Amino acid sequence: MKKIIAAALITLAFTLTVFAENAAGFGINYTSTKVEIQDYDNIKQNEAGIQGFYYHVSDTGRFALKTTLDLGVAESDLFEDWDCQYMGILLGLGIAAIKQPAFNLAIFTTIGIDYANYSREEEVSGTTLDLEANNLDLTLGLDVLAKFRFAKHFGMYADFNVRALAGTFELSRETHTVKTTVSYDNTGFAVEPSVGVCWTF
Protein backbone atom coordinates (compact mmCIF):
# COMPACT_ATOMS: atom_id res chain seq x y z
CA MET A 1 0.00 0.00 0.00
CA LYS A 2 2.84 2.41 0.86
CA LYS A 3 4.42 1.78 -2.55
CA ILE A 4 1.14 2.48 -4.30
CA ILE A 5 0.66 5.76 -2.40
CA ALA A 6 4.26 6.78 -3.09
CA ALA A 7 3.85 6.01 -6.81
CA ALA A 8 0.63 8.06 -6.91
CA LEU A 9 2.32 11.05 -5.23
CA ILE A 10 5.31 10.85 -7.61
CA THR A 11 2.95 10.70 -10.60
CA LEU A 12 1.02 13.71 -9.33
CA ALA A 13 4.19 15.70 -8.72
CA PHE A 14 5.49 14.80 -12.18
CA THR A 15 2.20 15.83 -13.76
CA LEU A 16 2.20 19.23 -12.05
CA THR A 17 5.76 19.96 -13.14
CA VAL A 18 5.52 18.66 -16.70
CA PHE A 19 2.36 20.61 -17.54
CA ALA A 20 3.42 24.19 -18.11
CA GLU A 21 0.02 25.80 -18.43
CA ASN A 22 -2.95 25.06 -16.21
CA ALA A 23 -6.36 26.68 -16.32
CA ALA A 24 -9.58 26.41 -14.33
CA GLY A 25 -12.82 27.62 -15.84
CA PHE A 26 -16.42 28.30 -14.88
CA GLY A 27 -19.27 28.83 -17.31
CA ILE A 28 -22.67 27.84 -18.62
CA ASN A 29 -23.59 24.98 -20.91
CA TYR A 30 -26.54 23.81 -22.99
CA THR A 31 -26.85 20.19 -24.09
CA SER A 32 -29.23 18.74 -26.66
CA THR A 33 -29.64 14.97 -26.31
CA LYS A 34 -31.52 12.35 -28.30
CA VAL A 35 -31.85 8.86 -26.86
CA GLU A 36 -33.43 5.76 -28.39
CA ILE A 37 -34.75 3.44 -25.66
CA GLN A 38 -35.04 -0.11 -26.93
CA ASP A 39 -38.55 -1.59 -26.72
CA TYR A 40 -39.90 1.60 -25.14
CA ASP A 41 -39.69 5.07 -26.69
CA ASN A 42 -37.38 7.86 -27.82
CA ILE A 43 -36.37 10.89 -25.76
CA LYS A 44 -35.48 14.40 -26.85
CA GLN A 45 -33.85 16.01 -23.85
CA ASN A 46 -32.43 19.49 -23.30
CA GLU A 47 -30.13 20.26 -20.39
CA ALA A 48 -28.85 23.60 -19.15
CA GLY A 49 -26.66 24.49 -16.22
CA ILE A 50 -23.25 25.43 -14.93
CA GLN A 51 -19.90 23.99 -15.92
CA GLY A 52 -16.50 23.74 -14.29
CA PHE A 53 -13.36 22.52 -16.04
CA TYR A 54 -9.65 22.00 -15.51
CA TYR A 55 -7.20 22.16 -18.42
CA HIS A 56 -3.48 21.28 -18.79
CA VAL A 57 -1.09 21.64 -21.68
CA SER A 58 2.46 20.26 -21.57
CA ASP A 59 5.60 22.37 -21.51
CA THR A 60 7.74 20.43 -23.98
CA GLY A 61 5.03 19.31 -26.39
CA ARG A 62 1.39 19.80 -27.22
CA PHE A 63 -0.14 17.06 -25.09
CA ALA A 64 -3.34 18.32 -23.41
CA LEU A 65 -5.70 17.03 -20.76
CA LYS A 66 -9.12 18.33 -19.71
CA THR A 67 -11.73 17.36 -17.13
CA THR A 68 -15.25 18.79 -17.07
CA LEU A 69 -18.18 18.69 -14.65
CA ASP A 70 -21.69 19.82 -15.66
CA LEU A 71 -24.57 20.29 -13.21
CA GLY A 72 -28.02 21.54 -14.11
CA VAL A 73 -31.63 20.83 -14.92
CA ALA A 74 -33.25 19.13 -17.89
CA GLU A 75 -36.55 18.93 -19.72
CA SER A 76 -37.89 16.22 -21.99
CA ASP A 77 -40.75 15.74 -24.41
CA LEU A 78 -41.42 12.35 -22.79
CA PHE A 79 -41.55 13.64 -19.20
CA GLU A 80 -43.29 17.00 -19.34
CA ASP A 81 -43.84 18.70 -15.95
CA TRP A 82 -41.45 16.31 -14.18
CA ASP A 83 -38.62 17.61 -12.01
CA CYS A 84 -35.23 16.72 -13.48
CA GLN A 85 -31.60 17.07 -12.39
CA TYR A 86 -28.70 16.49 -14.74
CA MET A 87 -25.00 15.72 -14.27
CA GLY A 88 -22.23 15.15 -16.82
CA ILE A 89 -18.58 14.21 -16.30
CA LEU A 90 -15.97 14.21 -19.06
CA LEU A 91 -12.28 13.35 -19.27
CA GLY A 92 -10.49 14.44 -22.43
CA LEU A 93 -7.03 13.55 -23.78
CA GLY A 94 -5.69 15.32 -26.84
CA ILE A 95 -3.38 17.91 -28.34
CA ALA A 96 -3.11 21.68 -28.34
CA ALA A 97 -3.22 22.42 -32.08
CA ILE A 98 -2.44 26.06 -31.30
CA LYS A 99 -0.39 26.84 -28.19
CA GLN A 100 0.35 30.53 -27.73
CA PRO A 101 0.52 32.65 -24.57
CA ALA A 102 -2.74 34.41 -25.34
CA PHE A 103 -4.61 31.66 -27.18
CA ASN A 104 -4.96 27.88 -27.02
CA LEU A 105 -6.98 25.70 -29.37
CA ALA A 106 -7.10 22.09 -28.20
CA ILE A 107 -8.81 18.99 -29.56
CA PHE A 108 -9.68 16.03 -27.33
CA THR A 109 -11.09 12.55 -27.44
CA THR A 110 -13.44 12.28 -24.46
CA ILE A 111 -14.96 9.59 -22.30
CA GLY A 112 -17.51 10.27 -19.60
CA ILE A 113 -20.85 9.78 -17.90
CA ASP A 114 -24.22 11.48 -18.50
CA TYR A 115 -26.92 11.11 -15.85
CA ALA A 116 -30.46 12.49 -15.70
CA ASN A 117 -32.99 11.87 -12.93
CA TYR A 118 -36.70 12.60 -13.46
CA SER A 119 -39.18 12.51 -10.60
CA ARG A 120 -42.84 13.23 -10.02
CA GLU A 121 -45.46 12.67 -7.31
CA GLU A 122 -49.07 11.87 -8.20
CA GLU A 123 -52.27 11.16 -6.29
CA VAL A 124 -54.31 8.26 -7.71
CA SER A 125 -57.48 7.14 -5.90
CA GLY A 126 -56.18 8.48 -2.60
CA THR A 127 -52.80 6.77 -3.01
CA THR A 128 -49.55 8.70 -3.41
CA LEU A 129 -47.39 7.47 -6.28
CA ASP A 130 -43.69 8.35 -6.44
CA LEU A 131 -42.61 8.12 -10.07
CA GLU A 132 -38.95 8.18 -11.11
CA ALA A 133 -36.94 7.77 -14.31
CA ASN A 134 -33.15 7.46 -14.40
CA ASN A 135 -31.05 7.67 -17.53
CA LEU A 136 -27.37 6.71 -17.07
CA ASP A 137 -25.06 6.63 -20.09
CA LEU A 138 -21.40 6.10 -20.80
CA THR A 139 -20.15 8.50 -23.45
CA LEU A 140 -17.43 8.66 -26.10
CA GLY A 141 -16.89 11.84 -28.07
CA LEU A 142 -14.88 14.67 -29.55
CA ASP A 143 -14.23 18.01 -27.84
CA VAL A 144 -12.79 21.32 -29.09
CA LEU A 145 -11.68 24.00 -26.60
CA ALA A 146 -10.69 27.57 -27.46
CA LYS A 147 -9.11 29.49 -24.55
CA PHE A 148 -8.37 33.21 -24.74
CA ARG A 149 -6.22 35.05 -22.21
CA PHE A 150 -6.76 38.82 -21.96
CA ALA A 151 -4.54 39.43 -18.93
CA LYS A 152 -1.78 37.51 -17.15
CA HIS A 153 -4.27 35.13 -15.55
CA PHE A 154 -7.78 36.08 -16.65
CA GLY A 155 -9.52 35.06 -19.87
CA MET A 156 -12.51 33.36 -21.48
CA TYR A 157 -13.20 30.02 -23.12
CA ALA A 158 -15.59 28.48 -25.62
CA ASP A 159 -16.05 24.74 -25.89
CA PHE A 160 -17.94 22.34 -28.16
CA ASN A 161 -18.49 18.65 -27.45
CA VAL A 162 -20.32 15.97 -29.43
CA ARG A 163 -20.62 12.48 -27.98
CA ALA A 164 -22.25 9.09 -28.52
CA LEU A 165 -24.22 7.59 -25.62
CA ALA A 166 -24.94 4.03 -24.51
CA GLY A 167 -26.44 2.96 -21.23
CA THR A 168 -29.52 2.09 -19.21
CA PHE A 169 -32.90 3.74 -18.81
CA GLU A 170 -34.85 2.80 -15.67
CA LEU A 171 -38.46 3.53 -14.70
CA SER A 172 -39.80 3.00 -11.18
CA ARG A 173 -43.19 3.41 -9.50
CA GLU A 174 -43.49 3.34 -5.73
CA THR A 175 -46.32 3.49 -3.16
CA HIS A 176 -46.06 3.09 0.61
CA THR A 177 -46.38 -0.69 0.15
CA VAL A 178 -44.73 -1.68 -3.14
CA LYS A 179 -42.14 -0.56 -5.68
CA THR A 180 -41.85 -1.77 -9.28
CA THR A 181 -38.88 -1.10 -11.56
CA VAL A 182 -38.21 -1.84 -15.23
CA SER A 183 -34.96 -1.25 -17.14
CA TYR A 184 -34.18 -0.78 -20.83
CA ASP A 185 -30.98 -0.45 -22.85
CA ASN A 186 -30.52 2.79 -24.78
CA THR A 187 -28.27 4.51 -27.30
CA GLY A 188 -28.07 8.08 -28.56
CA PHE A 189 -25.98 11.19 -28.96
CA ALA A 190 -25.53 14.61 -27.38
CA VAL A 191 -24.30 18.00 -28.62
CA GLU A 192 -23.01 20.50 -26.05
CA PRO A 193 -21.70 24.04 -26.53
CA SER A 194 -20.46 25.99 -23.49
CA VAL A 195 -18.84 29.33 -22.73
CA GLY A 196 -17.38 31.04 -19.66
CA VAL A 197 -14.43 32.61 -17.91
CA CYS A 198 -11.13 30.95 -16.95
CA TRP A 199 -8.11 31.53 -14.75
CA THR A 200 -4.69 30.51 -16.11
CA PHE A 201 -1.82 29.67 -13.74
Side-chain angles (χ1 to χ4, degrees):
M1 178 61 74
K2 291 182 178 179
K3 291 182 179 179
I4 294 174
I5 294 174
L9 291 175
I10 291 171
T11 301
L12 178 61
F14 175 77
T15 299
L16 293 177
T17 55
V18 167
F19 289 110
E21 184 172 306
N22 304 290
F26 179 80
I28 56 175
N29 72 293
Y30 179 85
T31 307
S32 178
T33 302
K34 292 185 179 180
V35 176
E36 181 180 344
I37 305 170
Q38 295 180 11
D39 303 319
Y40 186 71
D41 208 336
N42 297 332
I43 292 180
K44 293 181 180 179
Q45 180 176 281
N46 297 315
E47 306 110 20
I50 59 175
Q51 178 181 90
F53 82 90
Y54 194 54
Y55 166 74
H56 307 275
V57 61
S58 63
D59 184 17
T60 56
R62 295 181 179 271
F63 176 75
L65 180 147
K66 176 173 172 278
T67 59
T68 304
L69 173 65
D70 295 332
L71 297 173
V73 296
E75 62 176 5
S76 169
D77 58 343
L78 190 59
F79 298 101
E80 294 183 2
D81 302 322
W82 290 48
D83 296 328
C84 182
Q85 292 77 43
Y86 166 78
M87 180 183 72
I89 300 172
L90 286 177
L91 171 63
L93 299 175
I95 61 169
I98 300 175
K99 188 176 78 168
Q100 299 176 356
F103 177 67
N104 276 199
L105 179 67
I107 302 171
F108 304 91
T109 298
T110 63
I111 58 172
I113 295 172
D114 278 13
Y115 174 71
N117 171 261
Y118 291 89
S119 61
R120 183 174 181 176
E121 186 177 281
E122 292 183 356
E123 291 284 339
V124 179
S125 302
T127 300
T128 300
L129 295 179
D130 292 319
L131 306 175
E132 189 172 26
N134 291 290
N135 192 39
L136 177 63
D137 292 304
L138 298 177
T139 72
L140 177 65
L142 180 69
D143 189 278
V144 179
L145 171 70
K147 185 177 75 69
F148 310 86
R149 186 161 59 174
F150 304 130
K152 182 178 180 180
H153 297 290
F154 181 75
M156 296 187 68
Y157 77 92
D159 188 87
F160 183 79
N161 180 272
V162 58
R163 53 191 181 268
L165 316 173
T168 302
F169 180 80
E170 183 180 271
L171 283 170
S172 65
R173 174 176 171 171
E174 183 177 8
T175 68
H176 68 284
T177 58
V178 65
K179 180 177 181 179
T180 59
T181 302
V182 290
S183 296
Y184 306 89
D185 294 331
N186 66 32
T187 57
F189 68 92
V191 177
E192 178 186 357
S194 57
V195 65
V197 296
C198 59
W199 185 260
T200 300
F201 52 97

